Amino acid sequence: TLVRDLRRMAGGAGTSLFSVLAGGFAALLARLSGQDDIVIGVPSAGQSRCGMDSLVGHCVNLLPIRFQLTLGQTAAELVAGTKDLLLDALEHQQYTFGTLLQKLQIPRDASRVPLVGVMFNLDQPFELDCLGSAGVRLEPMPVPRHFEAFELFLNISQSAAGLRLECQFNTDLFTARTVRRWLAGYETLLRGILQTPQSPLKDIQALDAEQSQTLARWNHTGLDHDRNRLVQDLIGAQALSAPRRTALAAAGKTLTYGALWSRSNRLAWALRARGLARGKLVGLCLERGFEMVVAQLAILKAGAAYVPLDPGYPADRLAYMVQDAGLAAVVTKSSLAISARASPISTGI
């Protein structure tokens, strides 16, 4: 039923089943990778080059198809765009893959095929009854291989019973369980494209019911809390109830909530002693680590807001940022002292 409906959809759009399946596969990869620029390789017949139409042999040219899609476009737009994309690519299929790589000057990596990491193919339908003889039963079987040139290769075979999906993949990158889950998501996505062709791709379901329930269960991590309480109040409550629990961990060291609270208190008092009033802006020029978090908390306790300053920036750049933001002070370390028109405050933490 699914294959029949996909063929009907393709006919209504004036395209082929290949376009619908290839577009759906590109949408799946976009969902899985979070990328909107997807290159999929498609095998094309090589006999058409140089008038070799009568040549008998397995001559295949790798045709890279570049899908530039957004998850905001509709499924119908995807199908129409894939149709035009494939027709344009087939017009230039005589331009060989090797020639293209020479032209693009892509850096080579011996561990992978350049430019194309994923392949997609739809075999032409064939009837087994025409190949067999009386008393002989034929059944197509995939030929297992020990090596795969591409990271992922989806080959679809057509028959009277429907479509058979065969996936070859790099076992150093993926497991069979992962690939089966992706293929199940591919089927679910195709059904969604059929049911709601005018819906954005991001809204079309690509998970089956069991996967959706698992995802919902894993992400059920919300906690009720008073949204009117400030973050420093929440940290203070934790420091009061569990002062010895670990608040921060980095580079093999830890800092407890009690220590975090006391250190930030000292710096907050130092800021207030310098006349820092509520609503002022304080620059925060520190490297990532315990001191940065302590300083952030201290500035909030003092009633100010912090403006992050990257210590890796040039001194003139930092001085301009301090002056432009009108900072009342800058929290930094002597080793990172910046030349700026603001009072630098050594953290001492």
Side-chain angles (χ1 to χ4, degrees):
T1 303
L2 174 60
V3 177
R4 182 195 63 204
D5 292 342
L6 288 172
R7 293 184 188 277
R8 184 181 294 117
M9 180 182 191
T15 186
S16 64
L17 177 64
F18 183 92
S19 294
V20 177
L21 295 176
F25 187 55
L28 176 70
L29 294 180
R31 292 278 292 268
L32 292 174
S33 64
Q35 300 178 11
D36 55 9
D37 200 344
I38 306 293
V39 178
I40 299 177
V42 173
S44 64
Q47 285 93 334
S48 60
R49 297 189 64 248
C50 303
M52 297 185 295
D53 298 32
S54 60
L55 176 65
V56 177
H58 187 63
C59 302
V60 177
N61 181 38
L62 178 57
L63 191 64
I65 309 296
R66 187 181 185 184
F67 291 85
Q68 293 177 296
L69 47 82
T70 63
L71 296 180
Q73 68 183 111
T74 65
E77 292 171 341
L78 171 68
V79 172
T82 302
K83 167 191 172 183
D84 296 337
L85 188 64
L86 291 173
L87 289 176
D88 289 343
L90 290 172
E91 284 289 328
H92 301 87
Q93 61 180 314
Q94 293 188 4
Y95 197 86
T96 66
F97 184 61
T99 306
L100 178 63
L101 292 181
Q102 292 177 358
K103 197 75 173 178
L104 294 178
Q105 294 293 313
I106 296 177
R108 300 299 182 91
D109 182 351
S111 66
R112 66 201 316 169
V113 177
L115 185 63
V116 176
V118 179
M119 288 286 291
F120 178 86
N121 182 52
L122 176 65
D123 287 334
Q124 293 296 324
F126 63 93
E127 296 296 335
L128 292 176
D129 296 339
C130 300
L131 303 177
S133 59
V136 178
R137 179 175 174 269
L138 299 179
E139 181 181 354
M141 297 292 292
V143 180
R145 300 194 302 203
H146 291 288
F147 301 96
E148 175 55 49
F150 301 93
E151 297 174 5
L152 194 68
F153 185 2
L154 177 60
N155 188 75
I156 303 179
S157 302
Q158 303 183 67
S159 68
L163 299 180
R164 178 189 181 98
L165 275 61
E166 300 172 357
C167 199
Q168 297 154 196
F169 58 92
N170 186 339
T171 55
D172 289 338
L173 300 177
F174 314 116
T175 65
R177 181 179 179 183
T178 298
V179 173
R180 289 193 186 98
R181 186 173 70 247
W182 289 350
L183 292 180
Y186 181 44
E187 179 182 352
T188 304
L189 183 64
L190 289 176
R191 293 185 184 278
I193 290 176
L194 282 171
Q195 295 170 1
T196 56
Q198 299 304 323
S199 296
L201 293 176
K202 61 182 177 62
D203 295 336
I204 297 179
Q205 184 64 264
L207 299 174
D208 57 30
E210 182 180 355
Q211 293 173 341
S212 298
Q213 292 175 2
T214 301
L215 188 63
R217 184 172 66 255
W218 285 351
N219 285 281
H220 188 60
T221 58
L223 295 175
D224 293 331
H225 64 89
D226 186 356
R227 297 185 178 275
N228 293 322
R229 297 184 67 184
L230 302 177
V231 63
Q232 57 265 35
D233 295 335
L234 296 173
I235 296 177
Q238 182 72 0
L240 183 63
S241 62
R244 295 185 179 180
R245 291 191 63 178
T246 299
L248 303 173
K253 298 180 180 180
T254 60
L255 189 68
T256 65
Y257 276 98
L260 172 63
W261 192 252
S262 61
R263 288 190 184 188
S264 59
N265 272 343
R266 290 197 298 269
L267 182 56
W269 282 112
L271 290 172
R272 297 300 293 270
R274 287 177 174 256
L276 191 68
R278 183 179 295 275
K280 293 290 185 178
L281 299 178
V282 178
L284 182 59
C285 186
L286 291 171
E287 298 169 334
R288 292 179 180 272
F290 293 168
E291 294 176 342
M292 174 182 282
V293 181
V294 170
Q296 287 175 321
L297 184 56
I299 294 172
L300 294 177
K301 285 183 179 181
Y306 64 85
V307 177
L309 302 173
D310 190 335
Y313 282 178
D316 292 344
R317 170 72 173 170
L318 292 173
Y320 170 78
M321 294 173 68
V322 170
Q323 183 178 4
D324 185 65
L327 303 183
V330 176
V331 178
T332 185
K333 295 192 300 185
S334 56
S335 60
L336 299 174
I338 62 176
S339 174
R341 296 179 181 179
S343 301
I345 300 176
S346 177
T347 59
I349 49 179

